[in-house]
Amino acid sequence: MRVEHPLESPAVATRHTGAGSAPSESHPLHLHPMHVHPVQHETVLVVDFGAQYAQLIARRVREAHVFSEIVPHTITAAAVKAKNPMAIVLSGGPKSVNVDGAPLLDPGIYALGVPILGICYGAQLIAKQLGGEVGRHEAGEYGRTEMTTLDGAARTSVLLKDLPESQTVWMSHFDAITKAPQGFRVTASTPSAPVAALEDRERAIYGVQFHPEVGHTDRGQDVLKAFLYDGAHCRPTWTRVSIIEEAVEKIRAQVGTGRVLCGLSGGVDSAVAAALVHKAIGDQLTCVFVDIGMMREGEAEQVEETFRRQFQIDLVHVKAADRFLEKLDDVSDPERKRKIIGETFIRIFEEVARELGDAKFLVQGTLYPDVVESGGTTGDSAVIKTHHNVGGLPDDMEMELVEPLRELFKDEVRAVGEELGLPEEIVWRQPFPGPGLAVRIIGTITPERLEILRRADAIVLEEIKRAGLYRELWQSFAVLPAVRSVGVMGDERTYAYPIIIRAVTSEDAMTADWARLPYELLDRMSSRLINEVPGVNRVAYDVTSKPPGTIEWE
């Protein structure tokens, strides 16, 4: 059925009621975010020494079905012991281990008896801290390099057993281990790395100069699996089924019999979060879709139709475009945009909660990369940008957060979504920022600019799908800078907006490369954008990778 919700704002809400209904008694909320103690599972700690691939190492460990957690290099032996990991992986780093101020590992960690794998800088650190030597060799090595196993290591080494005696690996170093510490066996070398791999089986400490986590190393994942399974005796239990089971258990433990709201955005993250919570608590969940007026073309209708069909649950559709636009009037700073939108979201949710009566919890589709980019799980990482569902929330938020995806990467979220039976068009939808088109309009936001960008974005996506590239790209979209340029149409001068096309490839959004789209595709998009979108007279293509740029423009 359909009922109207007179909220304490200009927003308009419509509600579709499925199984279950919310109590009607209202009362004020005085709640706060809390951390729920996680379900215990075997964990591998990835120690981040500043390498760009620390997150990739963590993902590769999870692809081997073992849970991983990224921790800073400042972690102490006591903190490691408290986490009780099955293994530790030391990432690469940008510095030489021999320079002043180079990050080191607490020496007490080596004495814990936890199996350790050092990668690149991590391997050199092991050598230096345990009595070996690291110095400059004749030349550095960068890129693909042929590595040769030594002294029968292809038959007896823990890491290299059953691998070819000669194989291609990916190197990125200038320093090299010149002498292995006492008790270590050198198992491989390259022309400029006399110690390309080493191991101390008695202490279960291993090191590789190459990068097994990157795809350019032919058998890199096999090396990681050998360490995890044979060197550290981890069990491959981190699967989509186990993720769901653990998430359901944590959700039930946190919310009990409480009423829960879930903010739906139409993207895969919020959809999977909603499905997980619904699986855990059923009728206690009410989904709320806030139409901020900055959604993609046809998105509001698609979200409502999809979730009414897929979930027989309570759905509140809040139409709040005017409210958001009023708050964003004359705001151009991207961080202010994100914080305003985040706070307005929460206020609307709190109003819906009061209307429902006793909703105490708010579900969000926060992912692990969101947490890392917003300052990390430890507070030691730099803030790249405030994500809408992490740092963009107000300090005095009244509802308690439920974040069932907080420990997951995007590929894991998609796998969970498939396991839960979500439709393909939701599971494989390209990521869309919480603030919507607000962070794709550079400068102030106006209804006119929103309409131009919404139509332009639809054309970009239509052509990407038509070319069969949608699933191959991480994201593809249009950006509208708040500048105008001179053009000529029909022998007349124009002064209109440019559209910038952005398309990137990535595995987890921590790094990304600009997509090499065919010229013919770019030509079609340019022609359509200029001919079909009033107010546009120029098209450009963004060829910036991440780093140094970010995927979104704001």
Side-chain angles (χ1 to χ4, degrees):
M1 67 178 181
R2 180 182 295 266
V3 295
E4 297 295 324
H5 284 267
L7 300 178
E8 302 171 13
S9 70
V12 179
T14 50
R15 180 178 178 189
H16 302 283
T17 306
S21 59
S24 59
E25 183 181 356
S26 297
H27 59 80
L29 302 176
H30 301 285
L31 303 168
H32 54 82
M34 68 174 286
H35 175 71
V36 180
H37 187 71
V39 176
Q40 294 299 312
H41 44 61
E42 293 184 349
T43 299
V44 172
L45 299 182
V46 178
V47 182
D48 185 0
F49 285 97
Q52 58 180 320
Y53 291 124
Q55 290 80 19
L56 182 55
I57 295 171
R59 287 189 61 252
R60 295 292 185 240
V61 172
R62 295 190 188 192
E63 287 174 8
H65 304 300
V66 181
F67 180 73
S68 62
E69 177 186 348
I70 300 170
V71 296
H73 64 82
T74 53
I75 191 169
T76 64
V80 169
K81 186 176 181 179
K83 289 179 176 291
N84 192 31
M86 285 292 291
I88 300 168
V89 180
L90 311 182
S91 82
K95 295 183 179 181
S96 164
V97 297
N98 292 320
V99 302
D100 293 338
L104 303 175
L105 189 69
D106 181 346
I109 293 175
Y110 295 111
L112 294 176
V114 179
I116 297 174
L117 171 65
I119 295 175
C120 194
Y121 181 95
Q124 295 177 3
L125 193 62
I126 288 172
K128 183 177 178 67
Q129 290 191 300
L130 296 183
E133 296 178 3
V134 178
R136 293 292 173 96
H137 205 255
E138 296 175 358
E141 288 178 320
Y142 301 94
R144 290 184 174 87
T145 305
E146 286 300 309
M147 184 181 74
T148 304
T149 56
L150 304 174
D151 193 25
R155 299 188 304 276
T156 60
S157 164
V158 171
L159 299 186
L160 306 178
K161 185 178 180 181
D162 299 328
L163 298 185
E165 292 188 3
S166 179
Q167 56 187 297
T168 300
V169 298
W170 185 264
M171 289 287 196
S172 182
H173 69 98
F174 194 87
D175 286 353
I177 301 170
T178 55
K179 179 182 177 182
Q182 186 174 354
F184 279 80
R185 173 192 178 194
V186 179
T187 56
S189 67
T190 67
S192 294
V195 183
L198 70 165
E199 58 184 58
D200 182 338
R201 297 184 68 167
E202 184 175 340
R203 287 186 287 179
I205 300 178
Y206 309 85
V208 292
Q209 183 62 67
F210 60 92
H211 287 271
E213 74 275 16
V214 303
H216 302 300
T217 296
D218 290 345
R219 302 293 293 273
Q221 190 67 3
D222 291 327
V223 172
L224 283 175
K225 286 181 178 179
F227 168 69
L228 296 170
Y229 302 157
D230 301 329
H233 306 293
C234 297
R235 295 174 298 162
T237 58
W238 180 253
T239 64
R240 61 177 69 180
V241 174
S242 71
I243 292 171
I244 293 170
E245 291 174 347
E246 291 182 5
V248 166
E249 182 179 336
K250 285 193 283 188
I251 292 164
R252 289 173 177 168
Q254 180 181 1
V255 308
T257 59
R259 172 67 62 181
V260 180
L261 296 184
C262 177
L264 286 176
S265 68
V268 59
D269 303 337
S270 64
V272 174
L276 270 175
V277 174
H278 187 246
K279 180 178 178 65
I281 61 172
D283 295 356
Q284 295 168 236
L285 174 67
T286 297
C287 286
V288 180
F289 172 55
V290 178
D291 184 353
I292 68 175
M294 286 162 271
M295 315 302 289
R296 287 170 286 199
E297 191 172 86
E299 188 163 35
E301 296 79 8
Q302 182 194 33
V303 168
E304 187 166 344
E305 195 276 334
T306 296
F307 284 95
R308 290 186 67 191
R309 182 186 72 242
Q310 182 68 28
F311 305 110
Q312 297 300 311
I313 61 174
D314 211 10
L315 175 63
V316 178
H317 182 178
V318 182
K319 299 176 181 178
D322 292 344
R323 181 169 173 178
F324 279 90
L325 284 172
E326 181 181 352
K327 293 276 188 180
L328 292 167
D329 184 42
D330 206 29
V331 175
S332 59
D333 180 74
E335 279 294 284
R336 281 194 64 205
K337 286 181 186 178
R338 288 177 177 272
K339 290 183 180 297
I340 288 170
I341 290 172
E343 180 173 359
T344 306
F345 256 103
I346 296 302
R347 298 311 174 210
I348 290 175
F349 280 124
E350 290 172 348
E351 291 158 10
V352 173
R354 294 189 189 99
E355 184 69 22
L356 294 175
D358 68 346
K360 301 177 180 179
F361 302 92
L362 171 62
V363 178
Q364 287 200 143
T366 308
L367 303 192
Y368 199 31
D370 296 343
V371 177
V372 173
E373 283 202 340
S374 294
T377 57
T378 65
D380 295 327
S381 302
V383 177
I384 305 301
K385 59 184 175 184
T386 300
H387 282 264
H388 157 67
N389 52 358
V390 183
L393 302 180
D395 294 334
D396 61 343
M397 189 184 76
E398 297 177 356
M399 302 185 75
E400 186 177 299
L401 290 181
V402 180
E403 299 175 301
L405 311 179
R406 190 179 177 89
E407 296 179 332
L408 304 184
F409 288 101
K410 179 72 76 172
D411 57 327
E412 295 173 310
V413 173
R414 295 194 197 280
V416 168
E418 289 181 326
E419 185 70 26
L420 292 169
L422 286 168
E424 181 179 354
E425 62 267 24
I426 292 293
V427 172
W428 288 101
R429 193 171 194 178
Q430 291 182 355
F432 188 60
L437 299 179
V439 292
R440 293 177 180 173
I441 294 177
I442 313 306
T444 56
I445 299 166
T446 67
E448 176 206 16
R449 289 173 181 168
L450 276 170
E451 188 55 37
I452 290 172
L453 181 57
R454 186 175 289 113
R455 182 58 192 141
D457 190 71
I459 289 173
V460 170
L461 288 178
E462 284 172 13
E463 290 298 332
I464 291 291
K465 290 176 180 177
R466 177 183 170 190
L469 297 176
Y470 187 77
R471 289 276 290 268
E472 294 183 23
L473 298 174
W474 179 264
Q475 279 175 272
S476 49
F477 53 90
V479 176
L480 178 67
V483 297
R484 298 175 190 254
S485 68
V486 173
V488 57
M489 291 183 180
D491 296 326
E492 292 188 7
R493 178 185 184 275
T494 63
Y495 193 56
Y497 291 107
I499 287 292
I500 297 161
I501 299 170
R502 180 72 160 145
V504 299
T505 57
S506 180
E507 291 193 359
D508 55 20
M510 299 308 300
T511 60
D513 192 14
W514 62 276
R516 274 63 172 174
L517 297 182
Y519 289 157
E520 295 80 5
L521 173 58
L522 292 172
D523 182 56
R524 283 199 306 273
M525 287 193 289
S526 176
S527 177
R528 288 193 62 193
L529 288 167
I530 291 172
N531 285 296
E532 298 179 29
V533 184
V536 171
N537 68 352
R538 190 180 298 270
V539 176
Y541 186 52
D542 185 348
V543 293
T544 311
S545 296
K546 176 186 178 181
T550 56
I551 296 176
E552 297 290 345
W553 271 50
E554 291 191 343

